[in-house]
Amino acid sequence: MLRLALCDDDEQQRSISEALLRQYLERPEGPSGRLSVFSDPRQLLEEVEEDEEAGGFDIYILDVVMPGLTGVELGMRLRERGCRGAIVYLSVSSEYAVDSYQTQAFYYLLKPVEAARLYQVLDRAVTALEKQRQSCVAVKTKQSLRLLRLDDILYAELSRRAVHYHLADGEQVDSVTIRRSFQEETAPLLADSRFLACGASFVVNLHYVSAVEKNSLCLDGGIQVPLARKAAGEATRRWSDYWLGGGKEIGP
């Protein structure tokens, strides 16, 4: 279910936008979803912090000029908290459009907003979110729910009933204790042909493999991942096929 958040301090404009958004969610051809409405940016931030595990809303529709905390400042606070949802700004002026880039805004619309134009932007945002979800893996940590881009994962490792995701930027993201097998937990990775299972405890992204040795895979940065006995031949074939395919996802 799509989660939308609307934040606008102007009661009249907020009512207009709310009506448009509810109509959007009620369309037979549209996505099912839930709309939360806020008149104060701080209320929205509090809601996100209280429900941190959910990772925030999917789409934020934010007024730009608000007292105390502007829409751009609100967007930056949301990004700092790890919220990856699409941000759509609404404003009576285009003067803040450049500033909105700081928040990786999805779109900047001028008021009054036409329903057809707003719905077109929202449909595009929903499509982008679906693509993002398909190319990410959701990892539940002790602090929150993290969405990790498959492109960013060097390898995943099982240790003490938790999966440790090692990222290209050096960060390590640790899952909570898993209740199913490592193979089941990493199935979203293995469904992408860039990833190779190296024995019972490692899954490696072939994009970052620099060499295949008898007992290990060499990854960028000098990292070595153990390779199961007799698996070097298959690993070499998969690695070769990946790069012969142009460094893109290939069929199994």
Side-chain angles (χ1 to χ4, degrees), residues 173-188:
V173 177
D174 302 327
S175 76
V176 296
T177 300
I178 61 174
R179 301 181 181 277
R180 53 184 178 174
S181 71
F182 179 64
Q183 287 72 25
E184 291 173 319
E185 191 70 21
T186 55

Side-chain angles (χ1 to χ4, degrees), residues 36-159:
S36 298
V37 182
F38 304 88
S39 60
D40 187 324
R42 292 180 178 82
Q43 293 175 345
L44 173 53
L45 285 175
E46 289 175 2
E47 175 80 11
V48 169
E49 290 172 352
E50 289 175 2
D51 196 19
E52 187 176 11
E53 185 172 313
F57 293 87
D58 298 305
I59 302 178
Y60 300 87
I61 300 92
L62 309 178
D63 183 31
V64 174
V65 181
M66 293 185 286
L69 201 64
T70 69
V72 173
E73 291 170 335
L74 173 58
M76 293 177 69
R77 297 278 186 90
L78 291 169
R79 294 303 188 217
E80 289 170 359
R81 285 163 173 75
C83 298
R84 300 173 64 98
I87 296 177
V88 177
Y89 282 112
L90 307 180
S91 178
V92 296
S93 170
S94 61
E95 65 176 300
Y96 300 100
V98 174
D99 292 339
S100 71
Y101 294 148
Q102 301 176 62
T103 68
Q104 300 174 334
F106 185 81
Y107 216 88
Y108 191 102
L109 288 169
L110 294 178
K111 298 178 182 178
V113 181
E114 295 182 357
R117 183 58 174 152
L118 175 61
Y119 297 171
Q120 181 184 54
V121 170
L122 292 175
D123 284 342
R124 288 174 54 193
V126 170
T127 299
L129 287 168
E130 286 301 317
K131 289 182 179 179
Q132 183 184 75
R133 285 170 178 160
Q134 291 171 7
S135 62
C136 292
V137 59
V139 179
K140 187 174 183 181
T141 71
K142 291 181 179 179
Q143 293 76 33
S144 64
L145 183 71
R146 289 282 302 272
L147 284 179
L148 304 182
R149 285 166 42 90
L150 298 187
D151 287 346
D152 296 336
I153 299 173
L154 281 174
Y155 67 99
E157 172 189 8
L158 176 66
S159 178

